[in-house]
Amino acid sequence: MSPEQPFFSVIIPTYNRAHLIEGTLKHVFGQSYPHYEVIVVDNCSEDNTAEVLAKYAAQGKLQLIRHDRNYERAKSRNTGMERAAGRYVTLLDSDDILFPDYLRDAAQFILVNDEARIFHSLYNIVDESGKTVYRMRFPTIDRGRRHIVNGNYLSCHGVFMAREIYQHYRFDTNPALTGMEDYEFWLRVLADFPLRRLKKYNSALVQHSGRSFKAFRVEDTLRQREYILDKFAKDDNLREKYRNDIKRLDCSMFVYAAVQANFAGAHHEAGKYLKMAARIDPTVVLTRRFWGVFRVATMKHST
């Protein structure tokens, strides 16, 4: 393969992560595959993130773009995709890590699967020392739309998008979607493109006290559910593509609300959302995820 320069664009949004982003960049710069660019979009950080990044920009190791205020990650990812020159884009949060062969393995996968417009490799959850705390399970790769409506197993991590996707699709920047903008994005992309998979654990989400998902609230998820369902109902393409899966999408967001309620200690409320999910699509009670959330809600509520 004689790739374009660069072959990959690694896009990293960041906000107030001066204490973390150098660790993330170390893993990016340590890639065994050399044909990539790094684009960091700083959402007007209030700490010294810009100062930390400036030295790498001066060395030509990354392209630094600084927004004039905090627009959240959706706009940052859009900004990065607008500036990207790679044949493929991959997204990375500024507190996560890539293993050394992340890009090399992706390049080899493309060489064998040149029809793949969107694919992903696998990831684990690790602690700040790098120790695996949870080995992620992934659904089978067939029937991509059927599986993505069960929950966002892609997160915004480990996914590679060809230029024809990242130049034409954008993250929805409506503030109502903050925290679920990646899920809504993947739902739209997978409506039009089949997802492929590189079957190797090549990256990790880092579990730490400042992880942004801990700030998400149940009431936000319920509003996001209404927003997404309304958007799908008004879009002819999405309505048609998900016509057999919209009930499962609806109920899976209630299951996610139950997960958040459990995190908040509101276990009775979690049980209520699980009941709502089961009323929408009774088959959800057959899933491992439903019973895992149910057990937590039941055991904690009874203690």
Side-chain angles (χ1 to χ4, degrees):
M1 180 187 296
S2 55
E4 306 166 32
Q5 300 288 333
F7 192 73
F8 295 111
S9 296
V10 182
I11 297 173
I12 308 174
T14 191
Y15 176 70
N16 287 350
R17 289 283 171 81
H19 60 300
L20 293 170
I21 194 167
E22 283 192 287
T24 293
L25 289 173
K26 178 183 73 174
H27 289 89
V28 177
F29 297 149
Q31 288 296 297
S32 59
Y33 184 82
H35 306 293
Y36 67 90
E37 65 175 351
V38 180
I39 301 173
V40 180
V41 184
D42 179 21
N43 259 320
C44 198
S45 294
E46 298 173 339
D47 63 0
N48 64 324
T49 293
E51 179 182 346
V52 169
L53 294 171
K55 61 183 179 183
Y56 295 108
Q59 295 167 6
K61 290 187 173 182
L62 58 83
Q63 179 182 169
L64 175 59
I65 304 168
R66 195 159 196 260
H67 282 157
D68 59 353
R69 62 183 177 88
N70 183 8
Y71 293 100
E72 291 291 351
R73 288 167 297 185
K75 183 174 176 60
S76 293
R77 290 167 182 150
N78 291 343
T79 297
M81 290 191 293
E82 288 162 7
R83 296 285 286 271
R87 180 177 165 188
Y88 283 79
V89 147
T90 188
L91 305 169
L92 179 67
D93 284 344
S94 57
D95 51 356
D96 293 327
I97 59 176
L98 306 178
F99 300 153
D101 291 333
Y102 177 79
L103 295 179
R104 180 176 295 280
D105 288 340
Q108 290 299 316
F109 181 87
I110 294 164
L111 184 64
V112 177
N113 304 275
D114 62 356
E115 81 288 352
R117 308 271 58 86
I118 178 170
F119 66 95
H120 78 111
S121 58
L122 310 181
Y123 63 89
N124 278 323
I125 311 296
V126 302
D127 62 19
E128 291 179 87
S129 71
K131 180 181 178 181
T132 299
V133 296
Y134 183 74
R135 187 170 179 83
M136 290 288 294
R137 294 191 180 106
F138 295 85
T140 58
I141 198 61
D142 63 316
R143 298 186 302 159
R145 288 196 297 272
R146 179 61 178 170
H147 292 306
I148 195 67
V149 297
N150 285 314
N152 185 18
Y153 62 87
L154 293 176
S155 184
C156 210
H157 191 84
V159 183
F160 292 81
M161 294 179 283
R163 185 180 291 126
E164 66 191 81
I165 294 180
Y166 79 74
Q167 286 188 340
H168 295 97
Y169 289 76
R170 290 292 177 263
F171 287 86
D172 189 330
T173 58
N174 190 314
L177 267 184
T178 298
M180 202 178 281
E181 73 284 341
D182 53 339
Y183 188 32
E184 190 272 342
F185 181 80
W186 300 132
L187 286 165
R188 282 188 283 117
V189 172
L190 295 189
D192 298 327
F193 293 90
L195 179 67
R196 303 292 301 276
R197 176 174 294 162
L198 194 171
K199 297 179 181 178
K200 183 178 177 182
Y201 286 85
N202 258 347
S203 58
L205 299 180
V206 181
Q207 188 179 82
H208 59 84
S209 59
R211 194 86 207 179
S212 57
F213 79 86
K214 296 184 178 183
F216 299 158
R217 303 179 303 169
V218 173
E219 51 266 38
D220 295 333
T221 294
L222 297 178
R223 282 194 293 269
Q224 290 160 350
R225 166 187 166 270
E226 293 179 1
Y227 180 89
I228 291 173
L229 293 176
D230 181 65
K231 185 172 184 176
F232 276 42
K234 293 176 179 176
D235 186 294
D236 292 341
N237 181 54
L238 294 173
R239 187 173 62 249
E240 171 62 21
K241 294 292 180 60
Y242 285 99
R243 66 185 185 280
N244 296 323
D245 301 307
I246 198 68
K247 285 186 177 181
R248 178 52 67 89
L249 174 61
D250 190 2
C251 83
S252 72
M253 285 191 276
F254 275 124
V255 174
Y256 183 55
V259 171
Q260 292 177 309
N262 276 337
F263 270 122
H267 305 295
H268 177 74
E269 189 176 2
K272 179 183 69 175
Y273 293 130
L274 290 175
K275 290 178 182 178
M276 296 170 87
R279 281 198 293 267
I280 294 167
D281 184 353
T283 65
V284 74
V285 303
L286 302 176
T287 64
R288 182 187 293 113
R289 184 185 186 212
F290 181 93
W291 282 105
V293 180
F294 177 80
R295 282 194 296 272
V296 172
T298 303
M299 289 188 298
K300 296 292 186 179
H301 182 57
S302 61
T303 59

